[in-house]
Amino acid sequence: AGSLMTTKLSQPQSTLAKSLTSTSTNAPYFKAFESTEIPPYVTNCPSNGLCSRLPPDCMTCNTNYSCIYGKMTTFDCKVKPHVHCVDENNHEQENFTINMTCQFCWQLATSDYVCTNSTNCMTVSCPRQRYNATCTVRDHIHCLGNRVFPKMLYCNWTGGYKWSTALALSITLGGFGADRFYLGQWREGLGKLFSFGGLGIWTLIDVLLIGVGYVGPADGSLYI
């Protein structure tokens, strides 16, 4: 009986010891895995390139509160973890400075960011319609504040209609409504067709309206 008690007690103890051993050895493994995991931004950071030319996502910079809007200002920056860069003498460094214009990202020129487009608004309307766009600063541009920001933009999408084609059809075959058919305006096209271009008056008016861009595609897009 005594040996049976000893066997029964020793078995749970050995199981518990294995459990504790397993837990203690696995915990450092997971911590090491988390610490060595490479962040997603590293793929966009050139290795051993100049620190001053790194994309903004590869560094963190201190705000220079003494900068004057619109003027070039020096900012103190530091590379993010797992990012390697060098100075002009090919020496690896972590802390460096960059020069950039003191302005917020939403104040940049339109060529410095890319915005989403909308095909649900009318480009040919009075007053001209706007839409809510989400804009993202280009990788090589440095600025203050959020690099992704909302902005109200004019509708500027195109459905592939050519202004030159519409004008040529209006001059040559406008009396048969070819210009209106081309622009997707079927009702007006049928009206011109059965009225012989409004006895020529409607044809002349359409040539003028299409020429100045007042009459556009029926889907509300811009000419290309």
Side-chain angles (χ1 to χ4, degrees), residues 95-116:
N95 300 306
F96 57 97
T97 60
I98 62 170
N99 295 321
M100 69 177 184
T101 305
C102 181
Q103 61 181 351
F104 288 100
C105 294
W106 59 270
Q107 297 173 318
L108 292 170
T110 55
S111 59
D112 292 336
Y113 53 83
V114 180
C115 300
T116 57

Side-chain angles (χ1 to χ4, degrees), residues 64-75 98-104 107-108 142-144:
N64 189 338
Y65 293 100
S66 63
C67 70
I68 301 175
Y69 173 73
K71 302 292 184 180
M72 292 296 295
T73 309
T74 301
F75 291 82
I98 62 170
N99 295 321
M100 69 177 184
T101 305
C102 181
Q103 61 181 351
F104 288 100
Q107 297 173 318
L108 292 170
H142 295 275
C143 55
L144 302 176

Side-chain angles (χ1 to χ4, degrees), residues 156-169:
N156 61 351
W157 65 284
T158 177
Y161 297 93
K162 292 184 177 181
W163 172 82
S164 58
T165 302
L167 182 60
L169 290 174

